[in-house]
Structure formats: structure tokens, C-alpha cells
Amino acid sequence: MRSTLIGTLLHRLAILAYVVFALFPLYWLLKVSVTPDDLLYSEGVRMWPSHASFANYGFVLEHSDFPKFFKNSVIVSASTAFIVTILASLAGYALSRFTFRGKYWIVVLMLLTQMFPLVMLVAPIFKMLAPLGLTNSLTGLVIVYVAFNVPFATFLMQSFFDGIPKELEEAAMIDGASRFRAFSQIILPLTLPGIAATLGFVFTAAWSELLFALMLISGADSSTFPVGLLTFVSKFAVDFGQMMAAGVLALIPACLFFLLIQRYLVQGLTAGAVKG
């Protein structure tokens, strides 16, 4: 009994230490964002400033282009997440349920797209998009993000479809339902945890992506949040307080997004779907 109690206590302490370790950067982000510029260096390293101020947030919201960058990131990330989830759901279902000629090579090609370093692909993609007028455009950025996220999202959705018994849709089709109706009314609701996971993964990937946003966008009107953070870095100084304030504000959409989909993430995939 004593050894079990000690083991449980050590386990809880290890979890607590990990949580503190994981959340400390977020705490420090918040701490720096409310520290006035004159105290940021004069007070040295402190767990909390002697005087907190929201002046950095006021400057970011009222005197910078951050609201524009914020809006562009929301548009790009939300569009990418929904388009990729729709395409990945259809492709994942096809790979899970059907056998057709060329299926193996399609899977191989999708895997190959994940093997190349993104830096190596920037120049060819820019050359492809430039004649179409899609550089310095949110539309072009969404197209690129969709192209790079669809393969992984497809495999993710395929794994969820593979976990759903085929007998469910076969029983529905025996009762007269079409393949599409069986998919939309029976299979799709059971994959809500997978859809939520895919939406969350793609949204955060698009929200934090910097390389393509930096290389394909040249104007402030189409810049996204990660590129916008660079505007707080000047040639001779870095406005850490304003940058951290922008970072805290940028966490809000991601937190709200996962708050909306969290109940689907914790659902059982097919709990109670098959009887007997």
C-alpha cells in the first residue's frame, strides 16, 4: 500500500512538473507583454514586473498593422482548414473503402510529397504562381497550404474510416440507402472526432506557417500574423513587449477554435455503434 501511494505521488509530481515546464513559456510571454519598456531591462529577470501595464496591447491594436495581419491569418487558416478537411474526408473514405487501379501509386505519390524540404520547393512554387497572379495574394497562399496539408490529412482521415466497421454502411445500403446517404448520415457523424482532429491540425499548421507566407507575400495588405511579427524587429532594436503582446493576442483564435471542437476530440469513435 505504501509503495503504491509513493508511486502514485511520484507520478502526479512528474505530471505537474511537465505541465509547469510546458506552460512556463506561455506565462513568460504574458509577463513580458505587460512589462513596460523602461522596466524590461532595468529590473532584470523577475517572475512578475513591479508595475504591469497594457500599453503594449494598446499600441499593437491601435497603432500597428496587427489587426490587418490578424484578419488575414484568420481568413487563410480557416479557409485552409475547411477545404483540406472536406478534401481529406472524401479522399480518406475512398482509400479506406474502395480498391481501384493505381491506388498504390496514389498513396506513394502522396507520401513523396511529404519527403521534400519546404525550402527546396519555394522557388518552383513561386515560379508557378507568378504567371497566374497568385503571388502576394491570400488565395495563392491558401492554395499552397491546401496542397501541402491534404496528403497528411487524408492519411489521418483514412485511419479514422478504417476504424469504422463496414457493416454499418452495408446494413444501411441493404435497407435502401445510397452510398452517399450511408456516408453522410451514418459514417460521417461517427468520424466527428477525426474531423475535429484534422481541422485542429490544419488550422494550427496554417496559422503558424512562416516560410511560404514570407516568400510569397510581399505587401503588408496580404501579410499574415507570423510575417507581421517581424515588423516589431527593427535594424537596431526589438520591441519585445509589443511582439509578446501580439503573440498573446494571436493565441486567442487557436484557443477559441480548440474550445469549440474539444467535445468532439474526446468522443469515442464508434462507441455504441455496433451491437451484438
Side-chain angles (χ1 to χ4, degrees):
M1 181 69 70
R2 183 178 180 182
S3 61
T4 302
L5 181 61
I6 294 176
T8 303
L9 180 61
L10 292 176
H11 181 256
R12 298 292 188 273
L13 289 176
I15 294 176
L16 178 62
Y18 175 78
V19 170
V20 172
F21 175 79
L23 294 181
F24 184 78
L26 298 179
Y27 164 77
W28 201 255
L29 183 76
L30 178 63
K31 180 259 182 184
V32 175
S33 70
V34 298
T35 302
D37 292 339
D38 57 337
L39 299 180
L40 189 58
Y41 297 102
S42 61
E43 289 190 339
V45 179
R46 296 185 54 166
M47 293 306 295
W48 194 255
S50 59
H51 171 67
S53 171
F54 291 95
N56 290 323
Y57 290 91
F59 180 88
V60 168
L61 293 174
E62 298 177 5
H63 303 289
S64 73
D65 290 329
F66 176 80
K68 186 187 303 180
F69 302 146
F70 188 89
K71 180 189 71 173
N72 292 339
S73 284
V74 170
I75 294 173
V76 170
S77 301
S79 301
T80 301
F82 284 108
I83 294 173
V84 168
T85 302
I86 292 173
L87 296 178
S89 298
L90 297 175
Y93 180 80
L95 293 177
S96 174
R97 291 296 192 260
F98 302 114
T99 301
F100 49 89
R101 181 178 298 180
K103 176 180 176 180
Y104 171 80
W105 293 110
I106 291 176
V107 173
V108 170
L109 289 175
M110 292 175 65
L111 288 173
L112 286 176
T113 62
Q114 307 298 298
M115 296 174 59
F116 296 97
L118 296 181
V119 177
M120 189 177 78
L121 301 175
V122 171
I125 290 176
F126 185 89
K127 191 172 182 180
M128 291 171 58
L129 296 181
L132 301 175
L134 293 176
T135 58
N136 199 29
S137 166
L138 296 182
T139 303
L141 206 56
V142 170
I143 292 174
V144 173
Y145 289 170
V146 168
F148 278 94
N149 283 287
V150 161
F152 179 82
T154 297
F155 293 130
L156 186 62
M157 289 302 302
Q158 181 187 0
S159 66
F160 280 95
F161 286 121
D162 287 341
I164 299 177
K166 294 182 180 180
E167 291 78 8
L168 289 176
E169 54 197 305
E170 291 175 353
M173 288 188 287
I174 290 175
D175 291 338
S178 63
R179 169 74 69 172
F180 178 78
R181 186 176 180 184
F183 169 74
S184 60
Q185 296 187 3
I186 297 177
I187 303 302
L188 200 59
L190 295 176
T191 58
L192 286 179
I195 293 174
T198 303
L199 275 171
F201 167 79
V202 178
F203 183 88
T204 53
W207 182 262
S208 60
E209 203 282 327
L210 174 63
L211 179 63
F212 287 111
L214 184 63
M215 296 300 176
L216 299 179
I217 304 296
S218 58
D221 291 338
S222 300
S223 294
T224 56
F225 152 71
V227 178
L229 282 181
L230 299 178
T231 60
F232 297 103
V233 181
S234 62
K235 186 175 181 180
F236 300 104
V238 179
D239 294 322
F240 286 107
Q242 298 170 12
M243 182 183 292
M244 298 303 109
V248 172
L249 292 173
L251 290 174
I252 296 176
C255 294
L256 291 178
F257 186 80
F258 278 99
L259 187 64
L260 291 174
I261 67 174
Q262 66 171 343
R263 71 188 185 96
Y264 297 109
L265 291 174
V266 299
Q267 284 179 351
L269 185 59
T270 57
V274 180
K275 297 181 179 179

